């Protein structure tokens, strides 16, 4: 998702998840930093769960509290989930 674009995913009871390409580009990331090393190129090709993230997979590869905010910290839920 290039800067200026977003992709929305169903996020269950916590609310939809909005991936913002600009927020990641503003941090200096390029598409190939995550694709295809962490994620396949096609949306929906992989089911993303909080359990997997907390185990360091998909978004949790970076959102582990070291490289980026920790996805498993309840104080950070609203950074991705929107109700």
């Amino acid at each position: 998702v290039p800067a200026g674009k977003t992709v929305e995913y169903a996020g269950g009871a916590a609310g939809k998840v909005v991936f913002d390409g600009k927020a990641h580009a503003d941090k200096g990331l390029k598409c190939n930093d995550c694709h295809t090393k962490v994620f396949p190129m096609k949306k929906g090709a992989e089911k993303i769960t909080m359990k997997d993230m907390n185990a360091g997979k998909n978004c949790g590869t970076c959102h582990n509290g070291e490289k980026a905010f920790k996805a498993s910290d309840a104080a950070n839920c609203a950074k991705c989930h929107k109700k």
Side-chain angles (χ1 to χ4, degrees):
V1 178
K5 301 284 184 181
T6 61
V7 174
E8 294 184 5
Y9 299 88
K16 68 183 175 185
V17 174
V18 179
F19 175 86
D20 184 350
K22 182 178 183 328
H24 289 81
D26 287 352
K27 297 290 184 182
L29 295 169
K30 305 270 187 269
C31 297
N32 66 358
D33 290 335
C34 296
H35 296 285
T36 58
K37 299 171 203 156
V38 178
F39 294 100
M41 289 299 289
K42 186 176 180 182
K43 179 186 175 197
E46 173 180 42
K47 183 171 178 156
I48 299 172
T49 66
M50 289 304 302
K51 181 180 177 182
D52 285 344
M53 272 190 247
N54 295 340
K57 297 176 183 174
N58 49 62
C59 302
T61 302
C62 295
H63 287 279
N64 57 13
E66 294 174 20
K67 186 171 184 178
F69 68 84
K70 191 171 187 174
S72 64
D73 184 346
N76 292 324
C77 295
K79 290 182 179 180
C80 300
H81 291 273
K82 313 296 180 196
K83 289 199 177 199

